[in-house]
Amino acid sequence: MRHFIWLVLFSLFTALPLNAIAAPTVEQISKELKQAEDNTNIPNQPEVVASYQRTLNWLNELSKTQERAKEYQKIINNYQQLYNEYQQRLADVRNADIVIDRSLTVSQVEQRIIQVNSQLLELNQQVQKKQDELREVSELITQFPILQSQNNKAIFESEQRLRALSAAPKTVLDSAKITELQAEVNYNRAYTNELALNQLSAPNRQTLLQLQVDALKAEYENVDKRLKALREQ
């Protein structure tokens, strides 16, 4: 069922019209920006420069959304392997023996107590971090319909502006804005793909994060028992 949902969402992404949508690169836009900055005689030079700078921002966001999509896809592809690894980790921690060296001197025990206390603080921070990540995923699941609706609107509006401007470009500024809109459209489309993979991988991420939280809590309990045993020596 999950794969069917993803295929539907991905088909919507790939079915979007591709005509007249180029893929400007960072290198190309950086060159155009440098030329616009150096040529103070071109009409509306500040606006042209600003447009190319916004284009670079869109390209930067495009790169980020593509990387996030790759990470979500990795979780989908490797879920069973990751699940088995985290399950084994949890079992190992729960079955670990609490070993205390009874030959330690008083000074060594005191030093070990300091070290174990520090370890407990670090584990507590790790638990809090993973719980925050788990909470974020749970909250995000309820927001997918809103995010998808907003992105669909952004795609429609940016494509409408691009079509209107591409129909009759007249100036250097028009050309810069067309390039900017092309980058914006490409980002919005890529974000559609990210949202689809984000939604599909969310239940997997919840399960994996919960396993990590459980393993960290179990490790915390083991270390806490070790601390109590040290204090009793």
Side-chain angles (χ1 to χ4, degrees), residues 85 195 224:
E85 289 177 0
L195 281 176
D224 190 48

Side-chain angles (χ1 to χ4, degrees), residues 139-154 191 195 199:
E139 292 174 352
L140 183 60
I141 288 175
T142 65
Q143 298 173 9
F144 279 127
I146 297 174
L147 294 173
Q148 289 162 347
S149 176
Q150 291 174 340
N151 190 56
N152 289 339
K153 181 180 179 181
Y191 185 55
L195 281 176
Q199 184 174 22

Side-chain angles (χ1 to χ4, degrees), residues 136-192:
E136 288 175 5
V137 174
S138 299
E139 292 174 352
L140 183 60
I141 288 175
T142 65
Q143 298 173 9
F144 279 127
I146 297 174
L147 294 173
Q148 289 162 347
S149 176
Q150 291 174 340
N151 190 56
N152 289 339
K153 181 180 179 181
I155 289 175
F156 176 79
E157 291 178 348
S158 58
E159 288 186 345
Q160 287 291 96
R161 295 197 307 272
L162 179 57
R163 289 192 188 96
L165 194 56
S166 298
K170 300 172 183 176
T171 66
V172 174
L173 180 57
D174 286 344
S175 177
K177 287 185 174 180
I178 288 172
T179 303
E180 177 187 345
L181 284 167
Q182 288 170 339
E184 181 180 350
V185 168
N186 288 337
Y187 163 77
N188 288 331
R189 290 178 173 182
Y191 185 55
T192 298

Side-chain angles (χ1 to χ4, degrees), residues 62-76:
L62 172 63
S63 177
K64 290 179 182 178
T65 195
Q66 290 172 333
E67 286 303 313
R68 289 192 295 266
K70 288 179 183 178
E71 292 303 313
Y72 297 141
Q73 186 65 64
K74 284 181 183 178
I75 291 174
I76 294 169

Side-chain angles (χ1 to χ4, degrees), residues 16 20 54 67 70-71 74 78 104 110 113 131 133 137 161 207 214-215 223 232:
L16 290 169
R54 287 192 295 270
E67 286 303 313
K70 288 179 183 178
E71 292 303 313
K74 284 181 183 178
N78 303 322
L104 295 176
E110 291 175 349
I113 286 174
Q131 286 179 327
E133 292 178 16
V137 174
R161 295 197 307 272
T207 300
D214 292 343
V223 175
E232 290 173 356

Side-chain angles (χ1 to χ4, degrees), residues 218-232:
E219 187 174 357
Y220 183 96
E221 291 175 2
N222 290 347
V223 175
D224 190 48
K225 290 176 183 177
R226 190 178 302 121
L227 178 61
K228 290 176 181 178
L230 283 169
R231 286 173 171 167
E232 290 173 356

